[in-house]
């Protein structure tokens, strides 16, 4: 009996050592599954709204709860709906889903639209001496009267800050084979300002809401993997620099790498969500304790709030539930991968140098925030770095380290489902491009060489290139 006990003890003692030394199979990449095991396979209008495919049923309940706070509208305080009150008084929309339509892409306002809703306008002014600390923390200095973004909606009894309108002029581009493509150049117009004039040096930047898919996977790419693609001084002389934005994280109280937003102005999804609650809906949280009312807007500052016992309107629990939801929206699987035209387009994409910024693949960290997002080989087609995109796309509005001509490389995964999900194909930060080819032809700066390569292609090659991008 004693010998059995000793044998059992030896086996127990040796088990952990065997587990530690057991070979671990590396994850295997599969381009048909751009989100790795989290990839979903839904080709309907709900393609952006499904949870990660590897999310177990027990955790899908949490996903659904987060979805309810993402989808349903918030209301003004005081209200009997105490979990969702505190909206405004000034805001852009009353629910996240209104901007991220069906968890997808927003669009510029129609000519007669009263509110822009899924497109907002960022505002800032040049910094002055003594504002260094605010600049370090916020990345910009907001307009003294209207703050960091124009809010074109308001609760009853309050006046919206103004009205947003976009007009376009034609800008023809002639390709090498004689084809002419008319790009539409936007002009932003702000009217009906309710709180007086803006600062004469105000800088404006229109931004449409980006898709929500795969954000947890992008967050799970290690800083070191992203920084490995930096080449700010273009030491390899390929004409592509790329640098990470460095931004303030209010939870960590320090400057860290930025990766979310059109200029990578937010470091984490929680920071991004908290910033959207504050700026877009006028809702405070522990991660962003002030909304966008300025000292010139006394009625807004004195309006009833929906504060809970912690003194904020979005509780820690709700913010965590929305974070879980936004981390786990799955990426749609690739389509038509076996099509020879798509294969031709993929080669043309690489030959034109597009992959220099639209990096095809990364492997996510082993210690990702959620286990389903860890150790996944993903195909987002972005390096999440800032690149100079030239004067044609410039908003001339710096944000942390990003200059007025720099933008973060947007992910391309799921792009081909935009028409199905959102009913349009309006791309780039302000939705000016009406299709993939127009988006490419707006590229300049570091991407000028790639754009010129596309302009030299014949019609068949251009169609193949677009077909490849739309297969993503």
């Amino acid at each position: 009996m004693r010998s059995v006990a000793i044998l059992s003890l030896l086996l127990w003692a040796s088990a952990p050592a065997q587990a530690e030394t057991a070979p671990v199979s590396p994850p295997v990449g599969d381009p048909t599954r751009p989100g790795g095991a989290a990839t979903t396979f839904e080709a309907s209008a709900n393609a952006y709204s499904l949870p990660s495919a590897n999310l177990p049923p027990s955790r899908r309940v949490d996903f659904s709860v987060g979805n309810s706070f993402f989808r349903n509208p918030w209301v003004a305080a005081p209200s009997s709906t105490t979990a969702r009150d505190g909206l405004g008084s000034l805001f852009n929309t009353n629910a996240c889903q209104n901007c991220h339509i069906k968890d997808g892409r927003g669009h510029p306002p129609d000519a007669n639209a009263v509110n822009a809703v899924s497109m907002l306008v960022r505002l800032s002014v040049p910094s002055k001496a003594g504002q260094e600390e605010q600049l370090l923390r916020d990345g910009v200095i907001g307009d003294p009267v209207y703050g960091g973004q124009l809010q074109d909606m308001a609760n009853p009894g309050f006046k919206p800050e103004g009205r947003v309108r976009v007009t376009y002029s034609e800008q023809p581009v002639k390709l090498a084979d004689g084809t002419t493509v008319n790009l539409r150049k936007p002009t932003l117009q702000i009217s009906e300002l309710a709180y007086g004039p803006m600062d004469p040096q105000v800088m404006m930047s229109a931004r449409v809401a980006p898709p929500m898919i795969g954000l947890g996977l992008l967050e799970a790419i290690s800083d070191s993997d992203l920084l490995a693609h930096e080449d700010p001084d273009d030491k390899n002389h390929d004409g592509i620099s790329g640098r990470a934005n460095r931004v303030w994280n209010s939870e960590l109280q320090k400057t860290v790498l930025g990766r979310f937003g059109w200029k990578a102005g937010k470091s984490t999804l929680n920071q991004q969500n908290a910033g959207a609650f504050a700026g877009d809906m006028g809702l405070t949280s522990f991660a962003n304790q002030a909304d966008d009312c300025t000292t010139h807007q006394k009625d807004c500052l004195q309006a009833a709030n929906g504060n809970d016992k912690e003194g904020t309107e979005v509780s820690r629990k709700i913010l965590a539930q929305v974070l879980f939801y936004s981390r786990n929206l799955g990426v749609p699987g690739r389509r038509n991968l076996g099509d020879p035209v798509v294969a031709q387009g993929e080669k043309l994409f690489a030959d034109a140098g597009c992959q220099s910024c639209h990096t095809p693949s990364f492997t996510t960290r082993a210690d990702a925030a959620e286990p389903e997002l860890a150790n996944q080989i993903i195909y987002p087609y972005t390096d999440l770095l800032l690149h100079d995109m030239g004067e044609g796309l410039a908003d001339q509005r710096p944000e942390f380290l990003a200059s007025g001509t720099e933008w973060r490389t947007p992910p391309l995964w799921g792009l081909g489902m935009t028409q199905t999900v959102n009913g349009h194909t309006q791309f780039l930060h302000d939705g000016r491009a009406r299709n993939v080819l127009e988006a490419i032809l707006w590229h300049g700066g570091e991407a000028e060489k790639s754009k010129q390569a596309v302009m030299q292609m014949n019609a068949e090659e251009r169609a193949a290139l677009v077909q490849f991008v739309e297969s993503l």
Side-chain angles (χ1 to χ4, degrees), residues 70 96-106 118 209-212:
F70 191 85
C96 309
Q97 190 83 236
N98 295 345
C99 294
H100 303 279
I101 303 163
K102 295 189 73 63
D103 301 297
R105 192 179 304 269
S118 63
M212 296 293 297

Side-chain angles (χ1 to χ4, degrees), residues 233-429:
D233 299 319
D234 192 21
K235 291 182 178 177
N236 63 0
H237 306 294
D238 67 349
I240 307 296
S241 59
R243 59 175 180 153
N245 206 348
R246 267 76 173 182
V247 306
W248 185 252
N249 183 309
S250 64
E251 295 168 80
L252 301 176
Q253 288 291 298
K254 66 177 184 180
T255 294
V256 299
L257 188 148
R259 65 177 72 200
F260 295 108
W262 285 104
K263 291 201 181 227
K266 294 294 183 184
S267 58
T268 66
L269 264 179
N270 209 41
Q271 296 279 293
Q272 177 75 13
N273 293 346
F277 271 124
D280 301 352
M281 293 189 277
L283 294 162
T284 60
S285 66
F286 83 92
N288 202 327
Q289 299 188 9
D291 53 27
D292 201 31
C293 300
T294 69
T295 55
H296 291 264
Q297 297 167 328
K298 292 184 172 54
D299 289 349
C300 182
L301 290 171
Q302 295 169 1
N305 61 57
N307 286 354
D308 60 14
K309 60 184 179 183
E310 293 184 341
T312 59
E313 292 162 326
V314 182
S315 69
R316 288 177 182 266
K317 183 177 181 181
I318 292 175
L319 194 62
Q321 288 165 329
V322 173
L323 174 62
F324 185 82
Y325 176 74
S326 55
R327 271 183 177 150
N328 285 291
L329 282 157
V331 181
R334 285 277 302 274
R335 299 157 308 287
N336 307 319
L337 199 59
D339 188 326
V341 177
V342 171
Q344 179 193 8
E346 183 169 10
K347 183 176 185 307
L348 290 166
F349 185 85
D351 291 346
C354 305
Q355 294 185 0
S356 298
C357 303
H358 290 286
T359 307
S361 180
F362 285 96
T363 300
T364 60
R365 298 194 316 265
D367 62 345
E370 307 293 344
E372 295 83 4
L373 306 176
N375 294 317
Q376 300 298 315
I377 296 181
I378 60 174
Y379 296 83
Y381 284 86
T382 174
D383 59 7
L384 298 182
L385 300 179
L386 298 172
H387 294 274
D388 184 338
M389 295 300 292
E391 291 297 321
L393 282 177
D395 66 353
Q396 306 300 353
R397 179 182 177 273
E399 184 176 337
F400 289 102
L401 297 185
S403 73
T405 60
E406 287 181 315
W407 297 94
R408 183 205 68 163
T409 308
L412 297 182
W413 56 10
L415 182 145
M417 295 301 297
T418 305
Q419 177 69 54
T420 300
V421 174
N422 294 130
H424 68 80
T425 53
Q426 299 182 73
F427 302 121
L428 299 177
H429 64 278

Side-chain angles (χ1 to χ4, degrees), residues 27-330:
V28 177
D30 179 355
T32 65
R33 295 176 180 272
T39 303
T40 61
F41 288 92
E42 173 66 50
S44 74
N46 293 320
Y48 293 166
S49 298
L50 300 182
S52 300
N54 57 348
L55 200 65
S58 60
R59 286 159 63 76
R60 295 190 178 214
V61 175
D62 296 329
F63 180 85
S64 296
V65 173
N67 185 20
S68 72
F69 284 103
F70 191 85
R71 182 187 61 229
N72 294 327
W74 290 70
V75 298
S79 167
S80 58
T81 311
T82 55
R84 296 180 189 279
D85 67 343
L87 175 71
S89 302
L90 305 172
F91 53 95
N92 294 97
T93 187
N94 61 359
C96 309
Q97 190 83 236
N98 295 345
C99 294
H100 303 279
I101 303 163
K102 295 189 73 63
D103 301 297
R105 192 179 304 269
H107 56 79
D110 297 332
N112 298 317
V114 176
N115 310 108
V117 182
S118 63
M119 187 193 85
L120 59 80
V121 178
R122 297 265 192 239
L123 307 172
S124 58
V125 297
S127 61
K128 301 174 182 175
Q131 293 181 315
E132 292 81 7
E133 185 177 342
Q134 184 182 353
L135 196 61
L136 173 70
R137 187 182 66 241
D138 298 337
V140 297
I141 305 297
D143 179 82
V145 175
Y146 290 89
Q149 67 190 59
L150 190 87
Q151 292 153 324
D152 59 352
M153 297 183 75
N155 286 328
F158 297 86
K159 293 180 180 178
E161 291 184 322
R163 184 178 179 186
V164 179
R165 189 162 178 257
V166 185
T167 57
Y168 298 94
S169 57
E170 294 288 307
Q171 184 169 306
V173 176
K174 194 165 187 177
L175 309 182
D177 66 358
T179 302
T180 298
V181 178
N182 285 314
L183 303 181
R184 58 174 189 173
K185 182 179 180 181
T187 299
L188 190 62
Q189 296 177 337
I190 308 297
S191 62
E192 302 177 28
L193 289 174
Y195 299 88
M198 291 184 181
D199 187 286
Q201 292 185 288
V202 70
M203 298 173 282
M204 302 185 195
S205 183
R207 315 278 179 90
V208 298
M212 296 293 297
I213 56 174
L215 298 182
L217 293 165
L218 295 179
E219 192 177 47
I221 302 172
S222 71
D223 285 3
S224 58
D225 283 353
L226 294 176
L227 295 175
H229 290 265
E230 271 196 316
D231 186 14
D233 299 319
D234 192 21
K235 291 182 178 177
N236 63 0
H237 306 294
D238 67 349
I240 307 296
S241 59
R243 59 175 180 153
N245 206 348
R246 267 76 173 182
V247 306
W248 185 252
N249 183 309
S250 64
E251 295 168 80
L252 301 176
Q253 288 291 298
K254 66 177 184 180
T255 294
V256 299
L257 188 148
R259 65 177 72 200
F260 295 108
W262 285 104
K263 291 201 181 227
K266 294 294 183 184
S267 58
T268 66
L269 264 179
N270 209 41
Q271 296 279 293
Q272 177 75 13
N273 293 346
F277 271 124
D280 301 352
M281 293 189 277
L283 294 162
T284 60
S285 66
F286 83 92
N288 202 327
Q289 299 188 9
D291 53 27
D292 201 31
C293 300
T294 69
T295 55
H296 291 264
Q297 297 167 328
K298 292 184 172 54
D299 289 349
C300 182
L301 290 171
Q302 295 169 1
N305 61 57
N307 286 354
D308 60 14
K309 60 184 179 183
E310 293 184 341
T312 59
E313 292 162 326
V314 182
S315 69
R316 288 177 182 266
K317 183 177 181 181
I318 292 175
L319 194 62
Q321 288 165 329
V322 173
L323 174 62
F324 185 82
Y325 176 74
S326 55
R327 271 183 177 150
N328 285 291
L329 282 157

